[in-house]
Amino acid sequence: MLQEEIRRRNLGTLLRHVHLDGSVSRAALAERMGLNRSTIMALTLELTAAGLVREDAPTDTGRSGRPSLVVRPRTTGVYVLAFDVAVDWLTAARVGLGGVILDRRWAARPRAGADLDRVVGVLAGFGRQLHEAAPPEAVCVGVGASYCGMIRPGDGTVRFGPDLGWVDQAFGPELGRRLGLARPVPVGNEAHLGAVAEQRRGAGLGFQNMIYLHGDVGVGGGIIVGGKLLDGDGGYACELGHMVVNPHHGRPCGCGSHGCLEAEVGERALLDAAGRPADLFGRGALRDVVSDAGRGDPAAREALHRIGDWLGVGVANLINLFNPGIVIFGGMLRDVYPAAAEPVRARIAASVLPVARERVRLRTSALGDDATLVGAAELGFSELLADPLRGVVPAL
Amino acid sequence: MLQEEIRRRNLGTLLRHVHLDGSVSRAALAERMGLNRSTIMALTLELTAAGLVREDAPTDTGRSGRPSLVVRPRTTGVYVLAFDVAVDWLTAARVGLGGVILDRRWAARPRAGADLDRVVGVLAGFGRQLHEAAPPEAVCVGVGASYCGMIRPGDGTVRFGPDLGWVDQAFGPELGRRLGLARPVPVGNEAHLGAVAEQRRGAGLGFQNMIYLHGDVGVGGGIIVGGKLLDGDGGYACELGHMVVNPHHGRPCGCGSHGCLEAEVGERALLDAAGRPADLFGRGALRDVVSDAGRGDPAAREALHRIGDWLGVGVANLINLFNPGIVIFGGMLRDVYPAAAEPVRARIAASVLPVARERVRLRTSALGDDATLVGAAELGFSELLADPLRGVVPAL
């Protein structure tokens, strides 16, 4: 019984290595897992028989001696469906084992007025299309969704979705029902999932302590502490966008407060600071400010400097609190940060204690707008990775 | 070999339960550790033989049936020396297994001008006195120290001690040398150790996610995430006192920045706000402001309201970031918070997202000014608890 448990855990660990690395030699697996080669071979054979991995001769390494076989994920044969409800779009994707996006569907969505039924309807439709377009022998092993709001852990309920005005909406359960699943779709907050994705497959690779700032209309956060997402007592931690940085003269925030980081550096703040019309919004408008600043437009430059100063206050505070190895700017901040890096760095130099800023890196997201989707896919794969043999039950 | 390792780990776990709880029945130990009673008995006998615990018949429980023996720490026979370098005093104590302060020495210290040699000299003298006053059969099993500054993990070097102007001072090594030990004394930041102490023995008991704010001249922090102290990449996390809350109109801070939380709510800020003379300082002066406010003095009330408002900005930010179960006010904030609770709560109501403030508690420290000393003692006990039989080597 204990032996069986150890075997299942080892299967999961091996599959996780293969899933995250894409291809790993048997020799490397033996070393990383502290097991001998014959055990690795036995585990690999089981996962091969279950259709989860395959083994190849490695491409010539130039070294002498018998080369170790390379284990790879069966990317096209084993997939999850990943969904992303972002502020400006709905996306669904078929993501293969190994984290490869194989196929996707995308639709713009209006900023307001989309109720649960409509959103779930679009996503479920995408899900069916993706499933039908998959090769007949491919197996769906899980589902995961990202949502731009606060999610109750466990059941996928949206506690608070500010841009759609959702409060306590049964998003995960309803999406599960519409996909014909027997249970809710696991759902995560977009910035949390983006952080996990960046840490596993992006700019945060190898970092155990990491801060991910995700900009859309507002600013969300995913904070990795000791390799794990900071969740707090109820799963509602990481709300760095509602850190008040301007307590007495702050802009009003969607949350009802004033001077929150997202109120000072969010989309509206930047567009207002650049003197753009009040009815302009969206990623395109933001990028216009950035490119205008690049061409020397004084109003755009001044706006980016101002937003960068507030962003710097927030980032400096986060570095003092978390002493992270890396800070990653994602979502629309991926466009904004490079144009506002100077005031951000100035605030860090002024306010972060030297010992904590000695080694911290500032980077933009490597996965870009796919970060949240890739994170949702990781959520979908988690059950398979926890118990690879039990997990191979068609989820759809 | 594996069996021996399991046995040692079990000995440590059992001793930790007894150390933290004070007295635990064999039956309760069996249940908590998932082991049968005969294994618990064998482990207890080993720890008894090593002089670490003793077993007593329980006081009458009123229940029928044979009562389970109660295991207690040998508090007076097994101790550590704990040291505390605080802003206004130097303390040393003999702390018995079970966390009981058995004896202590205390000296006021000036706010400035104390160099490493002088501080270590006083503490080492205290250490020798405490050791000599101990019963001859008592065994010293460890040493630990708390310091009011940033500490490099591992070697007890003070990276930055703002109030004494210490930079890269070999405090732990030097204290170890002066005590005649073969190695450095482990040292922790006072707020980190205070947090650990409050979580294990104080107001934070049972909480896995906790924020401890420690006020002295400034404000330090210890943040518990998932039961563990947040350390960050280099061990310099938790610097909540240098969270900038007033970026454009802030008071200068000792760190060189402006508008840090500690600059706005620290001792000087409160005394200035209350119109006290610039040469007045210390805990007594702070308590005078609090008691004057209690008697209705308008300047003192206004000062506490103002400090409470800034404190509230900081605490609200921390709740949004960490979603803790409890926030604990220690050090001088133990005096200040009750008199400034209203503006703190108002800021939380205004700025913390409802889902994160649903269940958070705000409390003052249960251990008071002993929190840091108790935390230093826990540091001293850590080696014994990791390996109880190897640990019983007189450290002094």
Side-chain angles (χ1 to χ4, degrees), chain A residues 159 209 233-234 236 238-239 242 244-245 247-248 257 309 317 320-323 347 351 358, chain B residues 159 209 233-234 236 238-239 242 244-245 247-248 257 309 317 320-323 351 358:
Chain A
R159 292 299 307 275
N209 297 286
D233 238 38
Y236 305 116
C238 301
E239 284 293 337
H242 298 286
V244 172
V245 290
H248 290 123
S257 184
D309 186 51
N317 285 352
N320 273 326
L321 284 169
F322 291 97
N323 183 203
R347 278 283 177 186
S351 300
E358 272 165 359
Chain B
R159 292 299 308 275
N209 297 286
D233 237 38
Y236 305 116
C238 300
E239 286 292 339
H242 299 286
V244 173
V245 290
H248 290 122
S257 184
D309 186 51
N317 285 352
N320 273 327
L321 284 169
F322 290 97
N323 183 204
S351 299
E358 273 165 359

mmCIF file of all heavy atoms in Angstrom, chain A residues 159 209 233-234 236 238-239 242 244-245 247-248 257 309 317 320-323 347 351 358, chain B residues 159 209 233-234 236 238-239 242 244-245 247-248 257 309 317 320-323 351 358:
data_model
loop_
_atom_site.group_PDB
_atom_site.id
_atom_site.type_symbol
_atom_site.label_atom_id
_atom_site.label_comp_id
_atom_site.label_asym_id
_atom_site.label_seq_id
_atom_site.Cartn_x
_atom_site.Cartn_y
_atom_site.Cartn_z
ATOM 1 N N ARG A 159 -16.179 35.721 -6.767
ATOM 2 C CA ARG A 159 -16.667 36.514 -5.640
ATOM 3 C C ARG A 159 -16.896 37.952 -6.067
ATOM 4 O O ARG A 159 -17.835 38.601 -5.657
ATOM 5 C CB ARG A 159 -15.653 36.485 -4.483
ATOM 6 C CG ARG A 159 -15.486 35.175 -3.790
ATOM 7 C CD ARG A 159 -16.767 34.679 -3.152
ATOM 8 N NE ARG A 159 -17.432 35.619 -2.268
ATOM 9 C CZ ARG A 159 -17.146 35.802 -0.984
ATOM 10 N NH1 ARG A 159 -16.222 35.073 -0.415
ATOM 11 N NH2 ARG A 159 -17.802 36.681 -0.259
ATOM 12 N N ASN A 209 11.013 33.197 -5.366
ATOM 13 C CA ASN A 209 10.333 34.362 -4.798
ATOM 14 C C ASN A 209 10.182 35.394 -5.907
ATOM 15 O O ASN A 209 11.167 35.947 -6.387
ATOM 16 C CB ASN A 209 11.123 34.924 -3.616
ATOM 17 C CG ASN A 209 11.209 33.922 -2.482
ATOM 18 O OD1 ASN A 209 10.232 33.685 -1.779
ATOM 19 N ND2 ASN A 209 12.364 33.299 -2.324
ATOM 20 N N ASP A 233 -5.379 33.488 3.979
ATOM 21 C CA ASP A 233 -6.310 32.670 4.749
ATOM 22 C C ASP A 233 -7.494 32.177 3.928
ATOM 23 O O ASP A 233 -7.953 31.059 4.104
ATOM 24 C CB ASP A 233 -6.830 33.482 5.937
ATOM 25 C CG ASP A 233 -6.533 32.783 7.246
ATOM 26 O OD1 ASP A 233 -5.443 32.184 7.358
ATOM 27 O OD2 ASP A 233 -7.389 32.803 8.138
ATOM 28 N N GLY A 234 -7.987 32.995 3.028
ATOM 29 C CA GLY A 234 -9.171 32.592 2.276
ATOM 30 C C GLY A 234 -8.911 32.450 0.795
ATOM 31 O O GLY A 234 -9.829 32.219 0.019
ATOM 32 N N TYR A 236 -7.531 34.961 -0.954
ATOM 33 C CA TYR A 236 -7.734 36.271 -1.567
ATOM 34 C C TYR A 236 -6.524 37.199 -1.425
ATOM 35 O O TYR A 236 -6.660 38.420 -1.442
ATOM 36 C CB TYR A 236 -8.980 36.935 -0.976
ATOM 37 C CG TYR A 236 -10.205 36.081 -1.107
ATOM 38 C CD1 TYR A 236 -10.871 35.593 0.011
ATOM 39 C CD2 TYR A 236 -10.692 35.725 -2.363
ATOM 40 C CE1 TYR A 236 -11.995 34.780 -0.113
ATOM 41 C CE2 TYR A 236 -11.807 34.918 -2.497
ATOM 42 C CZ TYR A 236 -12.448 34.447 -1.372
ATOM 43 O OH TYR A 236 -13.549 33.644 -1.509
ATOM 44 N N CYS A 238 -2.616 38.685 -2.523
ATOM 45 C CA CYS A 238 -2.000 39.182 -3.762
ATOM 46 C C CYS A 238 -2.711 40.376 -4.399
ATOM 47 O O CYS A 238 -2.429 40.704 -5.549
ATOM 48 C CB CYS A 238 -1.893 38.092 -4.833
ATOM 49 S SG CYS A 238 -0.928 36.661 -4.352
ATOM 50 N N GLU A 239 -3.640 41.019 -3.668
ATOM 51 C CA GLU A 239 -4.366 42.133 -4.291
ATOM 52 C C GLU A 239 -3.517 43.405 -4.273
ATOM 53 O O GLU A 239 -3.877 44.409 -3.659
ATOM 54 C CB GLU A 239 -5.713 42.328 -3.606
ATOM 55 C CG GLU A 239 -6.734 41.273 -4.004
ATOM 56 C CD GLU A 239 -7.151 41.366 -5.468
ATOM 57 O OE1 GLU A 239 -7.010 42.453 -6.069
ATOM 58 O OE2 GLU A 239 -7.611 40.350 -6.010
ATOM 59 N N HIS A 242 -4.772 46.964 -5.167
ATOM 60 C CA HIS A 242 -5.535 47.784 -4.212
ATOM 61 C C HIS A 242 -4.689 48.240 -3.036
ATOM 62 O O HIS A 242 -5.223 48.663 -2.008
ATOM 63 C CB HIS A 242 -6.814 47.058 -3.798
ATOM 64 C CG HIS A 242 -7.690 46.826 -4.990
ATOM 65 N ND1 HIS A 242 -8.399 47.837 -5.586
ATOM 66 C CD2 HIS A 242 -7.889 45.721 -5.759
ATOM 67 C CE1 HIS A 242 -9.035 47.365 -6.651
ATOM 68 N NE2 HIS A 242 -8.733 46.076 -6.788
ATOM 69 N N VAL A 244 -2.983 50.996 -1.430
ATOM 70 C CA VAL A 244 -3.164 52.448 -1.547
ATOM 71 C C VAL A 244 -1.791 53.104 -1.563
ATOM 72 O O VAL A 244 -1.002 52.940 -0.634
ATOM 73 C CB VAL A 244 -4.017 52.996 -0.385
ATOM 74 C CG1 VAL A 244 -4.041 54.520 -0.410
ATOM 75 C CG2 VAL A 244 -5.428 52.435 -0.466
ATOM 76 N N VAL A 245 -1.500 53.811 -2.651
ATOM 77 C CA VAL A 245 -0.212 54.508 -2.754
ATOM 78 C C VAL A 245 -0.400 56.022 -2.648
ATOM 79 O O VAL A 245 0.551 56.754 -2.446
ATOM 80 C CB VAL A 245 0.539 54.153 -4.067
ATOM 81 C CG1 VAL A 245 1.039 52.715 -4.024
ATOM 82 C CG2 VAL A 245 -0.341 54.400 -5.289
ATOM 83 N N PRO A 247 -2.943 58.086 -0.584
ATOM 84 C CA PRO A 247 -4.089 58.009 0.322
ATOM 85 C C PRO A 247 -4.918 59.279 0.419
ATOM 86 O O PRO A 247 -6.094 59.210 0.750
ATOM 87 C CB PRO A 247 -3.466 57.720 1.690
ATOM 88 C CG PRO A 247 -2.012 57.575 1.488
ATOM 89 C CD PRO A 247 -1.664 58.047 0.121
ATOM 90 N N HIS A 248 -4.330 60.434 0.162
ATOM 91 C CA HIS A 248 -5.091 61.660 0.412
ATOM 92 C C HIS A 248 -5.466 62.430 -0.836
ATOM 93 O O HIS A 248 -6.304 63.312 -0.791
ATOM 94 C CB HIS A 248 -4.331 62.556 1.386
ATOM 95 C CG HIS A 248 -4.304 61.976 2.774
ATOM 96 N ND1 HIS A 248 -3.140 61.716 3.453
ATOM 97 C CD2 HIS A 248 -5.308 61.556 3.584
ATOM 98 C CE1 HIS A 248 -3.445 61.182 4.630
ATOM 99 N NE2 HIS A 248 -4.740 61.073 4.734
ATOM 100 N N SER A 257 -12.499 52.577 -3.131
ATOM 101 C CA SER A 257 -11.487 53.342 -2.391
ATOM 102 C C SER A 257 -10.882 54.411 -3.307
ATOM 103 O O SER A 257 -11.359 54.632 -4.428
ATOM 104 C CB SER A 257 -10.423 52.362 -1.883
ATOM 105 O OG SER A 257 -9.462 53.016 -1.085
ATOM 106 N N ASP A 309 6.084 56.716 -11.959
ATOM 107 C CA ASP A 309 6.388 57.107 -10.584
ATOM 108 C C ASP A 309 5.471 56.366 -9.600
ATOM 109 O O ASP A 309 5.935 55.807 -8.611
ATOM 110 C CB ASP A 309 6.232 58.622 -10.442
ATOM 111 C CG ASP A 309 6.673 59.111 -9.077
ATOM 112 O OD1 ASP A 309 7.793 58.761 -8.654
ATOM 113 O OD2 ASP A 309 5.896 59.824 -8.412
ATOM 114 N N ASN A 317 7.486 49.192 -2.643
ATOM 115 C CA ASN A 317 6.835 48.628 -1.446
ATOM 116 C C ASN A 317 6.840 47.104 -1.484
ATOM 117 O O ASN A 317 7.107 46.445 -0.478
ATOM 118 C CB ASN A 317 5.391 49.132 -1.347
ATOM 119 C CG ASN A 317 5.314 50.586 -0.894
ATOM 120 O OD1 ASN A 317 6.320 51.175 -0.510
ATOM 121 N ND2 ASN A 317 4.129 51.156 -0.945
ATOM 122 N N ASN A 320 10.304 45.743 -0.705
ATOM 123 C CA ASN A 320 10.578 45.810 0.738
ATOM 124 C C ASN A 320 9.829 44.719 1.503
ATOM 125 O O ASN A 320 10.324 44.195 2.488
ATOM 126 C CB ASN A 320 10.194 47.179 1.289
ATOM 127 C CG ASN A 320 11.325 48.193 1.169
ATOM 128 O OD1 ASN A 320 12.498 47.840 1.283
ATOM 129 N ND2 ASN A 320 10.982 49.449 0.929
ATOM 130 N N LEU A 321 8.630 44.408 1.057
ATOM 131 C CA LEU A 321 7.839 43.406 1.778
ATOM 132 C C LEU A 321 8.255 41.983 1.463
ATOM 133 O O LEU A 321 8.234 41.113 2.326
ATOM 134 C CB LEU A 321 6.347 43.567 1.442
ATOM 135 C CG LEU A 321 5.646 44.742 2.111
ATOM 136 C CD1 LEU A 321 4.271 44.955 1.508
ATOM 137 C CD2 LEU A 321 5.534 44.499 3.615
ATOM 138 N N PHE A 322 8.621 41.721 0.188
ATOM 139 C CA PHE A 322 8.796 40.324 -0.228
ATOM 140 C C PHE A 322 10.239 39.936 -0.544
ATOM 141 O O PHE A 322 10.515 38.754 -0.701
ATOM 142 C CB PHE A 322 7.903 40.016 -1.437
ATOM 143 C CG PHE A 322 6.444 40.009 -1.105
ATOM 144 C CD1 PHE A 322 5.640 41.121 -1.318
ATOM 145 C CD2 PHE A 322 5.867 38.881 -0.548
ATOM 146 C CE1 PHE A 322 4.292 41.108 -0.996
ATOM 147 C CE2 PHE A 322 4.530 38.848 -0.225
ATOM 148 C CZ PHE A 322 3.737 39.970 -0.442
ATOM 149 N N ASN A 323 11.126 40.892 -0.686
ATOM 150 C CA ASN A 323 12.520 40.588 -1.043
ATOM 151 C C ASN A 323 12.562 39.531 -2.155
ATOM 152 O O ASN A 323 13.159 38.480 -2.008
ATOM 153 C CB ASN A 323 13.262 40.100 0.227
ATOM 154 C CG ASN A 323 14.735 39.807 0.033
ATOM 155 O OD1 ASN A 323 15.315 39.044 0.791
ATOM 156 N ND2 ASN A 323 15.352 40.362 -0.988
ATOM 157 N N ARG A 347 12.337 55.208 -7.994
ATOM 158 C CA ARG A 347 11.625 54.971 -6.737
ATOM 159 C C ARG A 347 12.250 53.794 -5.981
ATOM 160 O O ARG A 347 12.338 53.819 -4.758
ATOM 161 C CB ARG A 347 10.149 54.664 -7.006
ATOM 162 C CG ARG A 347 9.306 55.901 -7.204
ATOM 163 C CD ARG A 347 9.003 56.591 -5.880
ATOM 164 N NE ARG A 347 8.250 57.818 -6.084
ATOM 165 C CZ ARG A 347 7.959 58.675 -5.102
ATOM 166 N NH1 ARG A 347 8.361 58.446 -3.855
ATOM 167 N NH2 ARG A 347 7.272 59.771 -5.351
ATOM 168 N N SER A 351 13.682 54.107 -2.216
ATOM 169 C CA SER A 351 12.865 53.580 -1.119
ATOM 170 C C SER A 351 13.131 52.147 -0.713
ATOM 171 O O SER A 351 12.639 51.715 0.326
ATOM 172 C CB SER A 351 11.374 53.701 -1.471
ATOM 173 O OG SER A 351 11.023 55.036 -1.681
ATOM 174 N N GLU A 358 19.653 44.606 -3.755
ATOM 175 C CA GLU A 358 20.945 44.166 -4.285
ATOM 176 C C GLU A 358 20.809 43.313 -5.556
ATOM 177 O O GLU A 358 21.518 43.488 -6.511
ATOM 178 C CB GLU A 358 21.687 43.321 -3.220
ATOM 179 C CG GLU A 358 22.535 44.128 -2.257
ATOM 180 C CD GLU A 358 22.949 43.326 -1.012
ATOM 181 O OE1 GLU A 358 22.553 42.149 -0.884
ATOM 182 O OE2 GLU A 358 23.661 43.896 -0.172
ATOM 183 N N ARG B 159 23.387 43.448 9.050
ATOM 184 C CA ARG B 159 23.627 44.159 7.797
ATOM 185 C C ARG B 159 23.392 45.649 7.970
ATOM 186 O O ARG B 159 24.088 46.479 7.419
ATOM 187 C CB ARG B 159 22.695 43.623 6.670
ATOM 188 C CG ARG B 159 22.974 42.216 6.215
ATOM 189 C CD ARG B 159 24.367 42.055 5.629
ATOM 190 N NE ARG B 159 24.708 43.013 4.580
ATOM 191 C CZ ARG B 159 24.415 42.882 3.305
ATOM 192 N NH1 ARG B 159 23.761 41.825 2.871
ATOM 193 N NH2 ARG B 159 24.789 43.780 2.423
ATOM 194 N N ASN B 209 -1.638 32.363 8.786
ATOM 195 C CA ASN B 209 -1.327 33.567 8.015
ATOM 196 C C ASN B 209 -1.533 34.772 8.924
ATOM 197 O O ASN B 209 -2.664 35.064 9.317
ATOM 198 C CB ASN B 209 -2.217 33.654 6.778
ATOM 199 C CG ASN B 209 -1.970 32.500 5.828
ATOM 200 O OD1 ASN B 209 -0.954 32.471 5.140
ATOM 201 N ND2 ASN B 209 -2.871 31.532 5.807
ATOM 202 N N ASP B 233 14.090 36.213 -0.925
ATOM 203 C CA ASP B 233 15.246 35.612 -1.575
ATOM 204 C C ASP B 233 16.500 35.661 -0.711
ATOM 205 O O ASP B 233 17.293 34.722 -0.704
ATOM 206 C CB ASP B 233 15.518 36.345 -2.893
ATOM 207 C CG ASP B 233 15.490 35.385 -4.057
ATOM 208 O OD1 ASP B 233 14.640 34.471 -4.039
ATOM 209 O OD2 ASP B 233 16.321 35.525 -4.961
ATOM 210 N N GLY B 234 16.690 36.741 0.027
ATOM 211 C CA GLY B 234 17.924 36.849 0.805
ATOM 212 C C GLY B 234 17.687 36.876 2.298
ATOM 213 O O GLY B 234 18.616 37.091 3.068
ATOM 214 N N TYR B 236 15.533 39.096 3.665
ATOM 215 C CA TYR B 236 15.299 40.493 4.036
ATOM 216 C C TYR B 236 13.869 40.951 3.763
ATOM 217 O O TYR B 236 13.617 42.146 3.564
ATOM 218 C CB TYR B 236 16.299 41.403 3.312
ATOM 219 C CG TYR B 236 17.737 41.008 3.545
ATOM 220 C CD1 TYR B 236 18.548 40.583 2.511
ATOM 221 C CD2 TYR B 236 18.257 41.030 4.836
ATOM 222 C CE1 TYR B 236 19.865 40.204 2.743
ATOM 223 C CE2 TYR B 236 19.567 40.646 5.069
ATOM 224 C CZ TYR B 236 20.363 40.229 4.029
ATOM 225 O OH TYR B 236 21.656 39.854 4.262
ATOM 226 N N CYS B 238 9.655 41.285 4.694
ATOM 227 C CA CYS B 238 8.880 41.768 5.855
ATOM 228 C C CYS B 238 9.167 43.212 6.235
ATOM 229 O O CYS B 238 8.765 43.638 7.320
ATOM 230 C CB CYS B 238 9.098 40.904 7.096
ATOM 231 S SG CYS B 238 8.641 39.183 6.899
ATOM 232 N N GLU B 239 9.870 43.982 5.416
ATOM 233 C CA GLU B 239 10.197 45.355 5.807
ATOM 234 C C GLU B 239 8.994 46.272 5.597
ATOM 235 O O GLU B 239 9.037 47.238 4.832
ATOM 236 C CB GLU B 239 11.433 45.850 5.059
ATOM 237 C CG GLU B 239 12.711 45.234 5.585
ATOM 238 C CD GLU B 239 13.057 45.710 7.013
ATOM 239 O OE1 GLU B 239 12.563 46.773 7.429
ATOM 240 O OE2 GLU B 239 13.814 44.984 7.694
ATOM 241 N N HIS B 242 9.056 50.156 5.871
ATOM 242 C CA HIS B 242 9.547 50.991 4.769
ATOM 243 C C HIS B 242 8.637 50.937 3.551
ATOM 244 O O HIS B 242 9.034 51.338 2.450
ATOM 245 C CB HIS B 242 10.998 50.640 4.446
ATOM 246 C CG HIS B 242 11.881 50.901 5.633
ATOM 247 N ND1 HIS B 242 12.225 52.167 6.022
ATOM 248 C CD2 HIS B 242 12.381 50.061 6.571
ATOM 249 C CE1 HIS B 242 12.939 52.109 7.148
ATOM 250 N NE2 HIS B 242 13.046 50.840 7.501
ATOM 251 N N VAL B 244 6.199 52.727 1.533
ATOM 252 C CA VAL B 244 5.911 54.157 1.419
ATOM 253 C C VAL B 244 4.390 54.339 1.367
ATOM 254 O O VAL B 244 3.732 53.787 0.495
ATOM 255 C CB VAL B 244 6.588 54.754 0.164
ATOM 256 C CG1 VAL B 244 6.138 56.191 -0.051
ATOM 257 C CG2 VAL B 244 8.104 54.687 0.301
ATOM 258 N N VAL B 245 3.864 55.092 2.318
ATOM 259 C CA VAL B 245 2.428 55.360 2.329
ATOM 260 C C VAL B 245 2.138 56.817 1.978
ATOM 261 O O VAL B 245 1.013 57.179 1.690
ATOM 262 C CB VAL B 245 1.792 55.016 3.706
ATOM 263 C CG1 VAL B 245 1.770 53.505 3.918
ATOM 264 C CG2 VAL B 245 2.520 55.713 4.855
ATOM 265 N N PRO B 247 3.948 59.200 -0.477
ATOM 266 C CA PRO B 247 5.099 59.338 -1.387
ATOM 267 C C PRO B 247 5.493 60.769 -1.721
ATOM 268 O O PRO B 247 6.645 61.003 -2.058
ATOM 269 C CB PRO B 247 4.635 58.631 -2.665
ATOM 270 C CG PRO B 247 3.288 58.079 -2.401
ATOM 271 C CD PRO B 247 2.770 58.650 -1.124
ATOM 272 N N HIS B 248 4.554 61.712 -1.646
ATOM 273 C CA HIS B 248 4.902 63.049 -2.112
ATOM 274 C C HIS B 248 4.980 64.096 -1.022
ATOM 275 O O HIS B 248 5.502 65.183 -1.243
ATOM 276 C CB HIS B 248 3.929 63.485 -3.213
ATOM 277 C CG HIS B 248 4.122 62.711 -4.472
ATOM 278 N ND1 HIS B 248 3.128 61.977 -5.065
ATOM 279 C CD2 HIS B 248 5.235 62.516 -5.226
ATOM 280 C CE1 HIS B 248 3.613 61.380 -6.142
ATOM 281 N NE2 HIS B 248 4.893 61.687 -6.258
ATOM 282 N N SER B 257 14.680 57.457 2.720
ATOM 283 C CA SER B 257 13.521 57.729 1.891
ATOM 284 C C SER B 257 12.579 58.697 2.623
ATOM 285 O O SER B 257 12.927 59.242 3.680
ATOM 286 C CB SER B 257 12.822 56.409 1.581
ATOM 287 O OG SER B 257 11.732 56.605 0.710
ATOM 288 N N ASP B 309 -4.506 56.996 11.220
ATOM 289 C CA ASP B 309 -4.881 57.040 9.810
ATOM 290 C C ASP B 309 -3.760 56.474 8.937
ATOM 291 O O ASP B 309 -3.994 55.635 8.064
ATOM 292 C CB ASP B 309 -5.198 58.481 9.411
ATOM 293 C CG ASP B 309 -5.736 58.578 7.991
ATOM 294 O OD1 ASP B 309 -6.683 57.833 7.669
ATOM 295 O OD2 ASP B 309 -5.194 59.370 7.199
ATOM 296 N N ASN B 317 -3.212 47.972 3.331
ATOM 297 C CA ASN B 317 -2.383 47.458 2.234
ATOM 298 C C ASN B 317 -1.913 46.032 2.524
ATOM 299 O O ASN B 317 -1.928 45.164 1.650
ATOM 300 C CB ASN B 317 -1.169 48.363 2.015
ATOM 301 C CG ASN B 317 -1.535 49.673 1.324
ATOM 302 O OD1 ASN B 317 -2.673 49.841 0.882
ATOM 303 N ND2 ASN B 317 -0.591 50.593 1.245
ATOM 304 N N ASN B 320 -4.751 43.547 2.084
ATOM 305 C CA ASN B 320 -5.000 43.287 0.662
ATOM 306 C C ASN B 320 -3.926 42.383 0.059
ATOM 307 O O ASN B 320 -4.206 41.566 -0.810
ATOM 308 C CB ASN B 320 -5.054 44.599 -0.130
ATOM 309 C CG ASN B 320 -6.447 45.213 -0.144
ATOM 310 O OD1 ASN B 320 -7.454 44.498 -0.137
ATOM 311 N ND2 ASN B 320 -6.515 46.527 -0.152
ATOM 312 N N LEU B 321 -2.706 42.534 0.524
ATOM 313 C CA LEU B 321 -1.624 41.732 -0.050
ATOM 314 C C LEU B 321 -1.583 40.317 0.512
ATOM 315 O O LEU B 321 -1.271 39.367 -0.206
ATOM 316 C CB LEU B 321 -0.268 42.402 0.213
ATOM 317 C CG LEU B 321 0.054 43.607 -0.659
ATOM 318 C CD1 LEU B 321 1.283 44.326 -0.126
ATOM 319 C CD2 LEU B 321 0.285 43.165 -2.106
ATOM 320 N N PHE B 322 -1.868 40.171 1.814
ATOM 321 C CA PHE B 322 -1.605 38.882 2.462
ATOM 322 C C PHE B 322 -2.861 38.119 2.880
ATOM 323 O O PHE B 322 -2.759 36.951 3.244
ATOM 324 C CB PHE B 322 -0.708 39.079 3.690
ATOM 325 C CG PHE B 322 0.696 39.458 3.332
ATOM 326 C CD1 PHE B 322 1.112 40.787 3.327
ATOM 327 C CD2 PHE B 322 1.613 38.486 2.954
ATOM 328 C CE1 PHE B 322 2.407 41.142 2.981
ATOM 329 C CE2 PHE B 322 2.914 38.825 2.609
ATOM 330 C CZ PHE B 322 3.312 40.154 2.624
ATOM 331 N N ASN B 323 -4.017 38.767 2.886
ATOM 332 C CA ASN B 323 -5.252 38.101 3.326
ATOM 333 C C ASN B 323 -4.996 37.277 4.602
ATOM 334 O O ASN B 323 -5.227 36.082 4.655
ATOM 335 C CB ASN B 323 -5.764 37.188 2.186
ATOM 336 C CG ASN B 323 -7.089 36.491 2.466
ATOM 337 O OD1 ASN B 323 -7.376 35.459 1.880
ATOM 338 N ND2 ASN B 323 -7.891 37.007 3.369
ATOM 339 N N SER B 351 -10.615 50.576 2.259
ATOM 340 C CA SER B 351 -9.647 50.158 1.246
ATOM 341 C C SER B 351 -9.448 48.656 1.083
ATOM 342 O O SER B 351 -8.830 48.231 0.114
ATOM 343 C CB SER B 351 -8.273 50.780 1.536
ATOM 344 O OG SER B 351 -8.355 52.178 1.510
ATOM 345 N N GLU B 358 -13.366 40.074 5.500
ATOM 346 C CA GLU B 358 -14.470 39.331 6.133
ATOM 347 C C GLU B 358 -14.102 38.796 7.512
ATOM 348 O O GLU B 358 -14.859 38.895 8.450
ATOM 349 C CB GLU B 358 -14.869 38.125 5.252
ATOM 350 C CG GLU B 358 -15.886 38.462 4.180
ATOM 351 C CD GLU B 358 -15.992 37.361 3.105
ATOM 352 O OE1 GLU B 358 -15.257 36.353 3.184
ATOM 353 O OE2 GLU B 358 -16.815 37.528 2.183
#
